[in-house]
Amino acid sequence: RRELAARELRERRAAYERLHAVVAGDDEETLAAAISEARRTGVDATDVEKAIAKLEVLRALTPDEREAKRREKAVAEARKEAFLLVRKDQAHALEELLGGLGEEVNWRAWKDYSGRTLAAYARQLRCTQVLALLDVTAHANTADDAA
């Protein structure tokens, strides 16, 4: 009897943790599965209701809204990766990353938590390869704007 209660508590705790982890994401199927598991194991009703509300919001998104959300997430991930590549002074990888973003993404305006741009961050860390790449890119854009 005590073992059964302990097992149920572990299952409820695991379902609760999974539910909260999935609510932070944007995957409808995983969220629906986590909700049904939370209901089965007896997770608190308010937590389940919050998850259901999130699921309804996700299901109400239009395809354009879904695509915009996916794009925003990809750009945020690329921004984080770009600052990491600057810190490692990996100019070639940074060039590939920035080249794959497309014209609509203004990566020159990206700032880190300290308010530094990619170029300012590279200057501060004395990343010579990245600085050379960013200078070439800046001069190429100045020439394009002048033409």
Side-chain angles (χ1 to χ4, degrees):
R1 193 167 247 234
R2 195 176 341 158
E3 291 173 10
L4 177 63
R7 190 185 81 205
E8 288 174 349
L9 179 65
R10 281 193 305 273
E11 286 179 355
R12 191 175 318 114
R13 177 71 183 178
Y16 174 80
E17 289 175 0
R18 181 169 181 241
L19 183 68
H20 280 275
V22 171
V23 164
D26 293 329
D27 187 13
E28 287 180 39
E29 291 99 31
T30 310
L31 183 56
I35 290 170
S36 66
E37 179 68 14
R39 283 181 174 156
R40 186 187 68 76
T41 57
V43 171
D44 188 40
T46 57
D47 294 319
V48 174
E49 288 170 9
K50 287 179 187 176
I52 291 171
K54 169 77 178 208
L55 182 61
E56 289 172 357
V57 167
L58 288 176
R59 287 182 174 162
L61 291 175
T62 66
D64 291 340
E65 291 171 331
R66 289 175 199 264
E67 180 61 26
K69 199 170 194 176
R70 187 198 60 75
R71 246 191 330 259
E72 286 175 18
K73 190 174 184 180
V75 168
E77 201 60 39
R79 182 178 151 271
K80 190 187 312 182
E81 181 69 18
F83 279 97
L84 181 67
L85 291 173
V86 168
R87 184 173 27 168
K88 292 179 178 179
D89 200 16
Q90 295 182 351
H92 183 68
L94 181 65
E95 183 177 23
E96 288 180 11
L97 177 74
L98 297 177
L101 289 175
E103 295 293 319
E104 70 277 358
V105 178
N106 183 13
W107 56 266
R108 287 169 199 81
W110 286 352
K111 296 191 178 192
D112 66 358
Y113 62 91
S114 296
R116 300 172 292 202
T117 62
L118 289 172
Y121 190 45
R123 259 186 243 102
Q124 183 179 2
L125 296 176
R126 295 182 178 89
C127 299
T128 55
Q129 294 176 7
V130 169
L131 273 172
L133 168 71
L134 294 175
D135 285 342
V136 167
T137 307
H139 291 303
N141 285 337
T142 306
D144 289 345
D145 291 343

